Amino acid sequence: MNRAATAAAVLAPLLAVTLTPTTASASSPYKGANTAAVQDDFNGDGYRDLAVGAPYAANGSVEEAGAVVVMYGSASSVSATRRTVITQATSGIPGAPEEWDAFGTTIASADLDRDGYADLLVGTPSEKVGDNELRGSVTVVWGGPSGLSDGATISPPAGYGDGRTYCGFGNSLATGDMNGDGAPEVSIGSRCEGASYTSPFTRTGKAASNYRDGRFGETRGVVMGDVNGDGRAERFWLPGPSDDDRRGSVYVDNGPSSPDYSANWPTELPYADGHAGQIGDINGDGYGDLVTGIAEDDSLANATGAAHRGGEIQVLYGSAQGITADQHPKVFYQDTAGVPGTAEDGDEFGQSLSVGDVNADGYADVLVGSPGEAIGTLQYAGTAVLLRGSAAGLTTTKAAGYTQNTAGVPGTAEAGDQFGAAVHLADLNKDGKAETIVGISTENSDGCLWTARGSASGPVLSGSVNLCGKSAGITVRNTVGYFGAALTSPHVAN
């Protein structure tokens, strides 16, 4: 597997600047941590930061306790030397590292306490809580002028998961301002039911209000974003595959169900499917568009009626009326004309996805991870595919596929690397063009991350870099650390 000689050697082509201290600072809060441009700005300097989950990282002798590495953005993008490594053994972080907790399985961010700094949300759906195996937990780590420090537990609402086990609280995370007050709401999915929280949060982790939503049962995915242009986020619940819908239903939330269980019953989008998703303006009309991924095809589901062979993504376009129940999604998979690659059983196209503008043309693009893709005879080597936004919507024009055998991409494709386990598009250097970031979760013994800067023509492969988990500060014992298995863009966490 590709092995970086040293962190400095790996990062030199991207940085070409004097290295800076471990944590970054800002003289005053950047008052925009809930805007799209700086959603992940944990230290208030105006640059987005990059949070990377390594859920199988060891903590001392404790296997698979998990960790999250946050690398701070700058004009030179991110650096492994300007980082914070967070575990459940970090001072101020609640809980304790335990075997198989997998802290960092999911991550998200928003300014939950409205102090001008983005905060980090960490899902640990495998955590044992009391006597309840796999109950799951969610931790918030607070942003500030020196970066992230201290944290609190976000507790499930009263009555959550009563009588059920293995809930996996924190299996999916989403944030968005649903009432237009400038404070984000938080949505948390699980194998039991959904949970909703209204900001602002106190530093003890207590929300202004919360409620549980058991109308769907399992909520594999949850997505939040403004699809009707009113400045307020809509919420979409994605319960996941069911016996009568292997592709997974999609529901638009219409409000709390309490105290009347039938009140505000959600609107099903009968033609839409998805297990995970994200919202962005793909056609540049000012309305957010919903992109969902269904990586599980018939071969993986051991059933019929799942995704197209190899997996698929779907796109639903926003409007002044939002996304209505009569809209049919546009579907893309690897046998769609113009999509790089060939659809094969178990490719997992759509296992991860991200929406962002890589070339500053005003149209959001979509990066799709396919970690199960075979490269020749190399099973699970993985690939990532970039589809371009346009005035006509998502298109295969100028579509590109990337593997570790692509010229300019560091390393060599090898069986089991899972290139594309997580993907992310984010403007880390504030030049208006999103970097392309791909997790390679089982590269080496620790897992790695590929980053390419954006440009007017798209991702720049020359000088792109691989950064691996050990260089970023994680510890690995007998299990691969899975650095790069989670980013703040969604992936399907089973």
Side-chain angles (χ1 to χ4, degrees), residues 410-433:
T412 301
E414 296 170 291
D417 279 352
Q418 296 192 80
F419 185 93
V423 296
H424 191 43
L425 296 174
D427 180 11
L428 304 174
N429 59 6
K430 212 163 62 172
D431 67 352
K433 308 172 190 70

Side-chain angles (χ1 to χ4, degrees), residues 117 298 330:
Y117 302 96
D298 287 357
K330 179 70 174 177

Side-chain angles (χ1 to χ4, degrees), residues 110-447:
D111 180 11
L112 301 188
D113 58 355
R114 300 187 71 179
D115 66 349
Y117 302 96
D119 308 306
L120 176 70
L121 288 158
V122 182
T124 312
S126 297
E127 180 150 38
K128 180 179 180 181
V129 179
D131 294 328
N132 296 315
E133 297 284 350
L134 303 179
R135 174 72 170 181
S137 70
V138 174
T139 303
V140 56
V141 186
W142 305 109
S146 296
L148 291 159
S149 64
D150 298 322
T153 297
I154 297 180
S155 299
Y160 165 86
D162 279 354
R164 284 170 283 178
T165 56
Y166 312 119
C167 282
F169 185 68
N171 204 48
S172 56
L173 304 168
T175 63
D177 181 8
M178 297 182 69
N179 56 16
D181 67 351
E185 276 61 62
V186 174
S187 301
I188 299 175
S190 76
R191 289 184 289 272
C192 286
E193 56 192 326
S196 176
Y197 301 81
T198 300
S199 291
F201 283 71
T202 69
R203 284 295 180 110
T204 64
K206 182 177 176 58
S209 64
N210 66 58
Y211 67 91
R212 62 191 181 93
D213 198 329
R215 292 177 290 189
F216 313 102
E218 178 177 2
T219 47
R220 174 172 287 200
V222 57
V223 190
M224 299 175 73
D226 182 8
V227 297
N228 62 6
D230 66 355
R232 295 176 291 184
E234 284 70 51
R235 175 165 51 209
F236 299 83
W237 291 108
L238 285 57
S242 60
D243 290 341
D244 60 353
D245 188 354
R246 297 305 308 174
R247 279 183 166 89
S249 302
V250 178
Y251 292 91
V252 182
D253 194 329
N254 290 318
S257 59
S258 177
D260 180 358
Y261 190 75
S262 63
N264 301 318
W265 195 261
T267 300
E268 183 175 7
L269 302 180
Y271 304 110
D273 312 284
H275 299 167
Q278 194 170 48
I279 290 171
D281 187 2
I282 293 169
N283 57 7
D285 64 356
Y287 303 106
D289 308 311
L290 173 64
V291 184
T292 62
I294 311 104
E296 188 179 80
D297 61 12
D298 287 357
S299 71
L300 297 177
N302 195 27
T304 59
H308 279 90
R309 187 183 187 190
E312 67 185 69
I313 66 166
Q314 300 187 1
V315 184
L316 289 160
Y317 294 98
S319 69
Q321 292 74 43
I323 294 174
T324 57
D326 60 351
Q327 186 177 159
H328 290 252
K330 179 70 174 177
V331 179
F332 296 83
Y333 51 105
Q334 285 186 297
D335 279 346
T336 299
V339 174
T342 301
E344 300 166 308
D345 287 350
D347 281 348
E348 297 181 309
F349 183 84
Q351 167 67 21
S352 58
L353 61 90
S354 187
V355 183
D357 187 354
V358 300
N359 58 356
D361 65 353
Y363 304 107
D365 309 302
V366 178
L367 183 65
V368 185
S370 182
E373 175 89 1
I375 308 299
T377 61
L378 303 172
Q379 299 296 313
Y380 284 89
T383 186
V385 171
L386 181 67
L387 303 176
R388 299 300 187 93
S390 73
L394 196 63
T395 175
T396 60
T397 302
K398 297 183 179 179
Y402 307 98
T403 76
Q404 286 192 295
N405 282 352
T406 301
V409 175
T412 301
E414 296 170 291
D417 279 352
Q418 296 192 80
F419 185 93
V423 296
H424 191 43
L425 296 174
D427 180 11
L428 304 174
N429 59 6
K430 212 163 62 172
D431 67 352
K433 308 172 190 70
E435 274 80 14
T436 295
I437 302 151
V438 177
I440 322 166
S441 60
T442 44
E443 173 99 49
N444 301 341
S445 63
D446 44 357

